[in-house]
Amino acid sequence: MKKCFLLCFMIGLSTASAALFAAPARPLPGLEGGMLKIQEAPASLETKEPETKTPEIRDDRRNVQIEEGETPSPSFPGADLTSRPSSWSAATPVPPRSLAARLRDPGSAGKLHWAPLEHVGVLRGVRLPAVALSPDQSVLAIVETTGGEEPPNGSRIVLINTHTWEILKLIETPRHAEKIVFAGKEPALYALCRVQSELKQNAGLVRFRLDSGEESAFIRTGSLGCADLFCDREDRVYVSDAAKPRVLVFTPDLSSHKTVKTASSGCALALSPDGRRWAAAGKAGKIEVFKVGDARPLSTEKIPADYPVRQLLFLDNGRSFLCAPDPLTDRSAFALRAGRIQEFEGTSAGELAVSTDGRVILHRKKVAGEIEFLDARTFQKLASATPGRIDPRTQGYPRAVFPLEAGELTAVLDETGNLYVLRRPEQQTKFQKKIILTPWK
């Protein structure tokens, strides 16, 4: 019985195997011509890369107005301060060949009004990282950082006519500018800008045309930390490296640069009044003088080795200099003449300036925000002003001071964003003050 069952099972299995191998082979799904074909997934099942949206720079422009045939808002700060009745005027005639005259646009749609925006938050106050005066003293440039407390940020470069105190132009850029300097010859301005990974921007030096407001050149500077910069009369830009003992000299179009070795890193830089020499001074205890153009070393002057130089100025075209310290060190500024050092009284706030004729030194002191006026020949005090105590009263110590030859005025931008001018009438000891701009709160 068992043998019969096994025999039937074997016969059935053989028959099934024969039928299986005799039947024509059916191709498996996706297998064509012996090759495995990968079918595309339906569109509804495709996985797409999420689109990364470029973050926007948040700028509400509350502090910018365009006056189109009507008077600006009465609440707009500084809008009508220059037109209030007064015994004297801060306005002077605009020289026809000045930079301010070249940038004036009589066919513009309306009059621009701007005031520094005061932020309320973790970073309270105005954000004005840089300010500069044009070589002919006719245009003052103020950089305002735009955007929120978190990056990305942009910059608004405000150009102000120092003869009429009108806003000439606003240059808006998505770059975060930290330092600026006017070109010496062309209507241009150079700005050092920080890296912004959110906008895929490299740190670098930018050239802006002042007539069109466009960015005309850019060169990457990598991780270069800038201690100081200036521009010579041929529009070459000199940048002092904060970390290495060198100065980078860029061509006007920023297409190339050369490196000049210095005795120390983080040097303060200066250009002589005649534009033929430039100097660098750091912690090495010396002032190195070079020839403009080929950067050939010309001379060396000794200064205290431990002196923390924050600012360097030529007092003449020869061997006389002014040095101001880092204000955090509570040191005095000094003059160097014929190898001899003359310290100025009081703790310096780290800023000095020289009048156009070279006769007066302006020394910004740390205590009470005092501005001292010194005779450049004898270093004797001629006058003194504490701007915050002069009517109309303002809050904030001066942070930038510029002597203006026209009108014999002194322009002051303070830490809270007030811009005003000081004037001392002849035969008087007291200064008068006129406010140009106050911050938008």
Side-chain angles (χ1 to χ4, degrees), residues 140-179:
L140 184 70
I142 300 176
V143 177
E144 179 180 38
T145 300
T146 58
E149 293 183 5
E150 297 295 328
N153 296 102
S155 298
R156 180 179 294 118
I157 303 174
V158 185
L159 304 179
I160 303 173
N161 186 333
T162 60
H163 293 278
T164 64
W165 300 106
E166 296 175 326
I167 308 297
L168 288 166
K169 187 184 292 289
L170 300 179
I171 297 177
E172 311 276 359
T173 174
R175 298 190 184 274
H176 193 162
E178 295 184 296
K179 293 179 181 289

Short mmCIF file of all heavy atoms in Angstrom, two decimals, residues 140-179:
data_model
loop_
_atom_site.label_atom_id
_atom_site.label_comp_id
_atom_site.label_asym_id
_atom_site.label_seq_id
_atom_site.Cartn_x
_atom_site.Cartn_y
_atom_site.Cartn_z
N LEU A 140 29.47 114.66 4.80
CA LEU A 140 29.62 113.79 5.96
C LEU A 140 28.85 112.50 5.69
O LEU A 140 27.67 112.55 5.33
CB LEU A 140 29.08 114.47 7.22
CG LEU A 140 29.26 113.72 8.54
CD1 LEU A 140 30.72 113.70 8.94
CD2 LEU A 140 28.42 114.38 9.64
N ALA A 141 29.51 111.37 5.85
CA ALA A 141 28.86 110.07 5.64
C ALA A 141 28.67 109.37 6.97
O ALA A 141 29.62 109.24 7.75
CB ALA A 141 29.69 109.20 4.70
N ILE A 142 27.45 108.92 7.24
CA ILE A 142 27.13 108.19 8.46
C ILE A 142 26.55 106.84 8.04
O ILE A 142 25.62 106.78 7.23
CB ILE A 142 26.13 108.94 9.34
CG1 ILE A 142 26.69 110.31 9.75
CG2 ILE A 142 25.78 108.13 10.58
CD1 ILE A 142 25.72 111.17 10.55
N VAL A 143 27.07 105.76 8.60
CA VAL A 143 26.56 104.42 8.32
C VAL A 143 25.59 104.02 9.41
O VAL A 143 25.90 104.09 10.60
CB VAL A 143 27.70 103.39 8.24
CG1 VAL A 143 27.13 101.99 8.02
CG2 VAL A 143 28.66 103.74 7.12
N GLU A 144 24.39 103.59 9.00
CA GLU A 144 23.40 103.06 9.93
C GLU A 144 23.16 101.60 9.61
O GLU A 144 22.89 101.24 8.46
CB GLU A 144 22.09 103.83 9.82
CG GLU A 144 21.01 103.31 10.76
CD GLU A 144 19.70 104.09 10.64
OE1 GLU A 144 19.33 104.47 9.53
OE2 GLU A 144 19.07 104.31 11.69
N THR A 145 23.27 100.74 10.62
CA THR A 145 23.00 99.32 10.43
C THR A 145 21.49 99.09 10.42
O THR A 145 20.77 99.53 11.32
CB THR A 145 23.63 98.49 11.56
OG1 THR A 145 25.04 98.71 11.57
CG2 THR A 145 23.36 97.00 11.38
N THR A 146 21.01 98.41 9.39
CA THR A 146 19.59 98.12 9.26
C THR A 146 19.34 96.65 9.60
O THR A 146 20.26 95.84 9.66
CB THR A 146 19.09 98.42 7.84
OG1 THR A 146 19.86 97.64 6.90
CG2 THR A 146 19.26 99.89 7.51
N GLY A 147 18.06 96.31 9.79
CA GLY A 147 17.70 94.94 10.15
C GLY A 147 17.46 94.80 11.63
O GLY A 147 17.53 95.77 12.39
N GLY A 148 17.18 93.58 12.06
CA GLY A 148 16.87 93.31 13.46
C GLY A 148 18.11 93.05 14.29
O GLY A 148 19.24 93.22 13.83
N GLU A 149 17.88 92.60 15.52
CA GLU A 149 19.00 92.27 16.40
C GLU A 149 19.72 91.02 15.92
O GLU A 149 20.92 90.87 16.14
CB GLU A 149 18.49 92.08 17.83
CG GLU A 149 17.96 93.36 18.47
CD GLU A 149 17.54 93.15 19.92
OE1 GLU A 149 17.76 92.03 20.43
OE2 GLU A 149 17.01 94.08 20.52
N GLU A 150 18.99 90.11 15.27
CA GLU A 150 19.59 88.91 14.72
C GLU A 150 19.93 89.13 13.25
O GLU A 150 19.23 89.87 12.55
CB GLU A 150 18.63 87.73 14.85
CG GLU A 150 18.28 87.36 16.29
CD GLU A 150 19.49 86.86 17.06
OE1 GLU A 150 20.36 86.24 16.44
OE2 GLU A 150 19.54 87.10 18.28
N PRO A 151 21.03 88.52 12.77
CA PRO A 151 21.37 88.68 11.35
C PRO A 151 20.34 88.00 10.47
O PRO A 151 19.56 87.17 10.95
CB PRO A 151 22.74 87.98 11.26
CG PRO A 151 22.76 87.03 12.42
CD PRO A 151 21.97 87.68 13.51
N PRO A 152 20.28 88.39 9.18
CA PRO A 152 21.23 89.26 8.49
C PRO A 152 20.91 90.74 8.70
O PRO A 152 19.81 91.12 9.06
CB PRO A 152 21.05 88.87 7.03
CG PRO A 152 19.60 88.50 6.93
CD PRO A 152 19.30 87.81 8.24
N ASN A 153 21.92 91.57 8.42
CA ASN A 153 21.77 93.01 8.52
C ASN A 153 22.24 93.68 7.23
O ASN A 153 23.03 93.11 6.47
CB ASN A 153 22.59 93.57 9.69
CG ASN A 153 22.10 93.05 11.03
OD1 ASN A 153 22.70 92.16 11.61
ND2 ASN A 153 21.01 93.60 11.52
N GLY A 154 21.74 94.88 7.02
CA GLY A 154 22.19 95.68 5.90
C GLY A 154 22.76 96.98 6.42
O GLY A 154 22.96 97.17 7.61
N SER A 155 23.02 97.89 5.50
CA SER A 155 23.56 99.20 5.87
C SER A 155 22.91 100.29 5.05
O SER A 155 22.59 100.10 3.87
CB SER A 155 25.08 99.25 5.65
OG SER A 155 25.74 98.30 6.45
N ARG A 156 22.69 101.42 5.70
CA ARG A 156 22.21 102.62 5.03
C ARG A 156 23.30 103.68 5.19
O ARG A 156 23.60 104.11 6.30
CB ARG A 156 20.89 103.09 5.65
CG ARG A 156 20.32 104.36 5.00
CD ARG A 156 18.99 104.74 5.65
NE ARG A 156 17.97 103.75 5.38
CZ ARG A 156 17.36 103.05 6.32
NH1 ARG A 156 17.66 103.23 7.60
NH2 ARG A 156 16.44 102.16 6.01
N ILE A 157 23.89 104.08 4.08
CA ILE A 157 24.95 105.09 4.10
C ILE A 157 24.30 106.43 3.78
O ILE A 157 23.78 106.65 2.69
CB ILE A 157 26.06 104.77 3.10
CG1 ILE A 157 26.64 103.37 3.39
CG2 ILE A 157 27.17 105.81 3.16
CD1 ILE A 157 27.65 102.90 2.37
N VAL A 158 24.32 107.33 4.76
CA VAL A 158 23.66 108.62 4.66
C VAL A 158 24.70 109.68 4.32
O VAL A 158 25.68 109.86 5.05
CB VAL A 158 22.94 108.99 5.97
CG1 VAL A 158 22.16 110.29 5.81
CG2 VAL A 158 22.04 107.85 6.42
N LEU A 159 24.50 110.39 3.21
CA LEU A 159 25.42 111.44 2.78
C LEU A 159 24.79 112.80 3.07
O LEU A 159 23.71 113.12 2.56
CB LEU A 159 25.73 111.30 1.28
CG LEU A 159 26.30 109.95 0.85
CD1 LEU A 159 26.54 109.93 -0.66
CD2 LEU A 159 27.58 109.62 1.60
N ILE A 160 25.47 113.61 3.89
CA ILE A 160 24.94 114.89 4.36
C ILE A 160 25.82 116.03 3.85
O ILE A 160 27.04 115.99 3.98
CB ILE A 160 24.89 114.93 5.90
CG1 ILE A 160 24.04 113.76 6.42
CG2 ILE A 160 24.32 116.25 6.39
CD1 ILE A 160 24.07 113.63 7.93
N ASN A 161 25.18 117.03 3.28
CA ASN A 161 25.87 118.23 2.81
C ASN A 161 26.24 119.08 4.04
O ASN A 161 25.36 119.58 4.74
CB ASN A 161 24.96 119.01 1.86
CG ASN A 161 25.65 120.20 1.22
OD1 ASN A 161 26.59 120.77 1.76
ND2 ASN A 161 25.18 120.58 0.04
N THR A 162 27.54 119.27 4.30
CA THR A 162 27.95 120.01 5.50
C THR A 162 27.84 121.52 5.32
O THR A 162 28.14 122.27 6.26
CB THR A 162 29.40 119.67 5.88
OG1 THR A 162 30.27 120.02 4.80
CG2 THR A 162 29.54 118.19 6.19
N HIS A 163 27.41 121.98 4.15
CA HIS A 163 27.21 123.42 3.93
C HIS A 163 25.74 123.81 4.15
O HIS A 163 25.45 124.87 4.70
CB HIS A 163 27.66 123.81 2.53
CG HIS A 163 29.13 123.70 2.33
ND1 HIS A 163 30.03 124.67 2.74
CD2 HIS A 163 29.89 122.71 1.77
CE1 HIS A 163 31.26 124.30 2.43
NE2 HIS A 163 31.20 123.12 1.84
N THR A 164 24.83 122.93 3.71
CA THR A 164 23.40 123.22 3.88
C THR A 164 22.75 122.31 4.92
O THR A 164 21.62 122.57 5.32
CB THR A 164 22.67 123.02 2.54
OG1 THR A 164 22.77 121.63 2.16
CG2 THR A 164 23.27 123.88 1.44
N TRP A 165 23.44 121.23 5.29
CA TRP A 165 22.95 120.22 6.23
C TRP A 165 21.72 119.49 5.72
O TRP A 165 20.88 119.03 6.49
CB TRP A 165 22.73 120.83 7.61
CG TRP A 165 24.01 121.38 8.15
CD1 TRP A 165 24.36 122.68 8.27
CD2 TRP A 165 25.15 120.62 8.57
NE1 TRP A 165 25.64 122.81 8.74
CE2 TRP A 165 26.16 121.55 8.95
CE3 TRP A 165 25.43 119.26 8.69
CZ2 TRP A 165 27.41 121.15 9.42
CZ3 TRP A 165 26.67 118.86 9.16
CH2 TRP A 165 27.64 119.81 9.52
N GLU A 166 21.62 119.38 4.41
CA GLU A 166 20.57 118.59 3.78
C GLU A 166 21.08 117.18 3.50
O GLU A 166 22.29 116.97 3.34
CB GLU A 166 20.12 119.24 2.47
CG GLU A 166 19.48 120.61 2.63
CD GLU A 166 19.17 121.26 1.29
OE1 GLU A 166 19.96 121.05 0.34
OE2 GLU A 166 18.16 121.97 1.20
N ILE A 167 20.15 116.21 3.46
CA ILE A 167 20.50 114.84 3.09
C ILE A 167 20.66 114.79 1.57
O ILE A 167 19.70 115.01 0.83
CB ILE A 167 19.44 113.84 3.55
CG1 ILE A 167 19.13 114.02 5.04
CG2 ILE A 167 19.89 112.41 3.26
CD1 ILE A 167 20.28 113.77 5.96
N LEU A 168 21.85 114.49 1.11
CA LEU A 168 22.11 114.44 -0.33
C LEU A 168 21.63 113.13 -0.95
O LEU A 168 21.04 113.11 -2.02
CB LEU A 168 23.61 114.59 -0.60
CG LEU A 168 24.23 115.97 -0.39
CD1 LEU A 168 25.74 115.88 -0.36
CD2 LEU A 168 23.78 116.91 -1.50
N LYS A 169 21.91 112.03 -0.26
CA LYS A 169 21.62 110.72 -0.85
C LYS A 169 21.64 109.66 0.23
O LYS A 169 22.34 109.79 1.25
CB LYS A 169 22.68 110.39 -1.92
CG LYS A 169 22.42 109.14 -2.74
CD LYS A 169 23.58 108.87 -3.68
CE LYS A 169 23.67 109.91 -4.78
NZ LYS A 169 22.56 109.78 -5.76
N LEU A 170 20.85 108.61 0.03
CA LEU A 170 20.88 107.42 0.87
C LEU A 170 21.32 106.24 0.01
O LEU A 170 20.70 105.97 -1.02
CB LEU A 170 19.51 107.13 1.48
CG LEU A 170 18.89 108.19 2.38
CD1 LEU A 170 17.52 107.73 2.86
CD2 LEU A 170 19.79 108.48 3.57
N ILE A 171 22.38 105.58 0.39
CA ILE A 171 22.84 104.39 -0.32
C ILE A 171 22.44 103.17 0.52
O ILE A 171 22.90 103.01 1.65
CB ILE A 171 24.36 104.42 -0.54
CG1 ILE A 171 24.74 105.61 -1.42
CG2 ILE A 171 24.83 103.11 -1.17
CD1 ILE A 171 26.24 105.77 -1.62
N GLU A 172 21.54 102.36 -0.02
CA GLU A 172 21.07 101.17 0.68
C GLU A 172 21.82 99.95 0.15
O GLU A 172 21.94 99.77 -1.05
CB GLU A 172 19.57 100.98 0.45
CG GLU A 172 18.72 102.22 0.67
CD GLU A 172 18.34 102.43 2.13
OE1 GLU A 172 18.73 101.58 2.96
OE2 GLU A 172 17.66 103.43 2.43
N THR A 173 22.33 99.12 1.05
CA THR A 173 23.06 97.93 0.64
C THR A 173 22.74 96.77 1.58
O THR A 173 22.55 96.98 2.78
CB THR A 173 24.59 98.19 0.63
OG1 THR A 173 25.29 96.97 0.35
CG2 THR A 173 25.06 98.74 1.96
N PRO A 174 22.68 95.55 1.06
CA PRO A 174 22.45 94.39 1.92
C PRO A 174 23.71 93.94 2.65
O PRO A 174 23.69 92.93 3.34
CB PRO A 174 21.97 93.32 0.93
CG PRO A 174 22.61 93.70 -0.36
CD PRO A 174 22.64 95.20 -0.38
N ARG A 175 24.80 94.67 2.50
CA ARG A 175 26.05 94.33 3.20
C ARG A 175 26.10 95.01 4.56
O ARG A 175 25.54 96.09 4.75
CB ARG A 175 27.27 94.72 2.36
CG ARG A 175 27.36 94.00 1.03
CD ARG A 175 28.70 94.25 0.37
NE ARG A 175 28.79 93.66 -0.93
CZ ARG A 175 29.17 92.39 -1.16
NH1 ARG A 175 29.47 91.60 -0.13
NH2 ARG A 175 29.23 91.91 -2.39
N HIS A 176 26.82 94.37 5.48
CA HIS A 176 26.95 94.89 6.85
C HIS A 176 28.28 95.64 6.95
O HIS A 176 29.33 95.05 7.24
CB HIS A 176 26.89 93.74 7.85
CG HIS A 176 26.71 94.20 9.26
ND1 HIS A 176 26.29 93.36 10.27
CD2 HIS A 176 26.87 95.41 9.85
CE1 HIS A 176 26.22 94.03 11.41
NE2 HIS A 176 26.57 95.27 11.17
N ALA A 177 28.25 96.94 6.72
CA ALA A 177 29.46 97.77 6.72
C ALA A 177 29.88 98.10 8.15
O ALA A 177 29.04 98.41 9.00
CB ALA A 177 29.24 99.04 5.92
N GLU A 178 31.20 98.07 8.39
CA GLU A 178 31.73 98.36 9.73
C GLU A 178 32.65 99.57 9.74
O GLU A 178 32.72 100.28 10.73
CB GLU A 178 32.49 97.15 10.26
CG GLU A 178 31.63 95.93 10.50
CD GLU A 178 32.41 94.80 11.12
OE1 GLU A 178 33.34 94.29 10.45
OE2 GLU A 178 32.11 94.43 12.27
N LYS A 179 33.37 99.81 8.66
CA LYS A 179 34.27 100.96 8.55
C LYS A 179 34.13 101.54 7.15
O LYS A 179 33.91 100.81 6.18
CB LYS A 179 35.73 100.55 8.80
CG LYS A 179 36.03 100.10 10.23
CD LYS A 179 37.49 99.70 10.37
CE LYS A 179 37.82 99.21 11.78
NZ LYS A 179 37.82 100.30 12.76
#
